[in-house]
Amino acid sequence: MRQHNGRNRIISFCISCTLVNHTNAWAGTRTSAAGRRTYRSTSKLNSLVPEAAASILAGSIAGAMGVGVAFPLDTLKTKQQVEAEKCSRIEYVLSPAGTVTIRAVTSNLFTTIVDTWNDEGPGGFYGGVRTSMAGQAVIKATAFGVNNAVLHAGHDLATAAATAGLATAFLACPVDRIKVLMQTGSFDTESECVRSVLRTEGASGLLTTGLVPTLFREVPAYALYFYLYGRLAASSLLGTDVLGAMAPLVDGALAGAACVVPVHPVDVVKTIVQHSGADWREVVREVYERQGPKGFWEGLSPRVGRAAVNHSVTFAAYEALLHTL
């Protein structure tokens, strides 16, 4: 009978839930002689369904909670990234010779917070949060199922993670489109946003705008997260043998925060595409011409913070929910 240890169970959970999901749903639990939890497959339908349902439900709810708690940071990230598109902050420089030059200035995190608070109040940090939480619950449940199916087809965790990223990108694209438009204050309500996009752009405006950069972000991010989390979980400093129950929280936050860095330029392009509706190649060219390479790193600080908070909350909530279901 095939067995999986607790570490692999936690690793696979992280990947399939948009970097935080549980993968061994089709399993029962027992305690080995060494006191560690091991997992075994079961052929009894009445045991299989409750275990799978509990894992999916806990992962979905926990993922939505993580998104909600970290949403203000996500909003700040989006606002900073959009500035790379419109260069809305302008500085006029007067030289000693009397020549006036215009320079686009991007804001730092503090000024973005102040501007959002002054212009929109507390609600400005939560534009689109309802759609994002509901959407992420569905996305995480889907990622969980895809990752699980690929694993049980005999593929390794890296392949399963990348496949889950590929599948969930098609769901994440419309959810992110609404989120970006709401976070940038383009619409007052999410229903108004959806109706307007459908009326002016058709279904493709929701389903495919930003899909290419979303795919280029999700697939490598999933695979990279698996690698980073696996190394951390197996390390002598931050592994499960050292941190015990705290390992998923600590390792998940560290790996999640680290894996967003390499794909951040793609996320900047995705955000601008979904805000403006422009072709992604045009966006890449314009950002580079206006700000150079640094334009592709707008919003990195709040995004790293958002990833750490999101993953920590998700893990904590998942474990609590799983023990009560």
Side-chain angles (χ1 to χ4, degrees):
M1 185 175 295
R2 188 170 61 180
Q3 296 184 342
H4 305 278
N5 60 31
R7 180 178 300 163
N8 285 341
R9 188 173 187 249
I10 294 172
I11 291 174
S12 54
F13 162 69
C14 303
I15 302 167
S16 66
C17 225
T18 311
L19 310 182
V20 275
N21 244 319
H22 188 283
T23 61
N24 203 357
W26 312 98
T29 63
R30 66 179 177 86
T31 303
S32 68
R36 294 183 181 179
R37 296 173 67 193
T38 58
Y39 301 83
R40 56 182 176 80
S41 299
T42 176
S43 60
K44 295 181 179 180
L45 185 62
N46 60 350
S47 296
L48 180 100
V49 174
E51 177 72 17
S55 296
I56 292 175
L57 181 59
S60 298
I61 295 175
M65 291 174 63
V67 169
V69 172
F71 200 79
L73 289 170
D74 189 78
T75 296
L76 294 173
K77 180 270 298 184
T78 298
K79 288 181 179 294
Q80 288 194 318
Q81 288 177 339
V82 168
E83 286 185 354
E85 166 200 353
K86 60 185 180 181
C87 296
S88 60
R89 302 176 67 85
I90 303 298
E91 182 179 272
Y92 296 89
V93 181
L94 178 64
S95 69
T99 302
V100 177
T101 58
I102 301 176
R103 181 174 63 185
V105 181
T106 57
S107 64
N108 56 39
L109 182 58
F110 178 75
T111 57
T112 303
I113 294 173
V114 173
D115 288 346
T116 301
W117 182 273
N118 291 337
D119 295 341
E120 307 173 56
F125 297 95
Y126 289 94
V129 66
R130 289 176 295 183
T131 297
S132 292
M133 291 181 68
Q136 285 299 319
V138 175
I139 290 169
K140 287 171 172 58
T142 301
F144 171 84
V146 171
N147 191 48
N148 219 5
V150 175
L151 283 175
H152 281 79
H155 299 282
D156 57 36
L157 289 174
T159 301
T163 305
L166 178 65
T168 56
F170 293 92
L171 296 174
C173 189
V175 173
D176 280 359
R177 182 80 202 277
I178 297 171
K179 176 181 72 72
V180 167
L181 291 173
M182 291 301 300
Q183 287 176 326
T184 54
S186 301
F187 298 93
D188 293 329
T189 65
E190 287 148 299
S191 59
E192 177 190 349
C193 174
V194 173
R195 287 195 301 269
S196 178
V197 172
L198 290 175
R199 183 176 62 255
T200 57
E201 303 177 38
S204 62
L206 278 180
L207 301 178
T208 62
T209 299
L211 180 59
V212 171
T214 299
L215 286 166
F216 278 99
R217 182 193 67 175
E218 294 295 285
V219 175
Y222 269 59
L224 182 59
Y225 185 83
F226 160 74
Y227 174 78
L228 293 175
Y229 187 88
R231 292 296 297 267
L232 288 170
S235 70
S236 58
L237 294 177
L238 299 173
T240 53
D241 292 338
V242 177
L243 298 180
M246 291 295 295
L249 298 174
V250 176
D251 296 344
L254 291 174
C259 80
V260 302
V261 177
V263 297
H264 188 76
V266 181
D267 188 68
V268 171
V269 173
K270 180 201 74 70
T271 298
I272 295 175
V273 167
Q274 292 186 320
H275 179 255
S276 65
D279 181 79
W280 67 270
R281 287 161 291 198
E282 179 184 348
V283 168
V284 171
R285 182 173 60 253
E286 290 190 0
V287 170
Y288 184 80
E289 289 177 353
R290 290 182 178 184
Q291 297 196 43
K294 69 178 182 179
F296 296 99
W297 296 99
E298 290 292 339
L300 178 61
S301 296
R303 186 167 184 235
V304 170
R306 176 254 183 200
V309 173
N310 185 0
H311 297 152
S312 293
V313 171
T314 299
F315 271 107
Y318 175 83
E319 291 294 338
L321 287 167
L322 196 63
H323 283 87
T324 59
L325 293 174

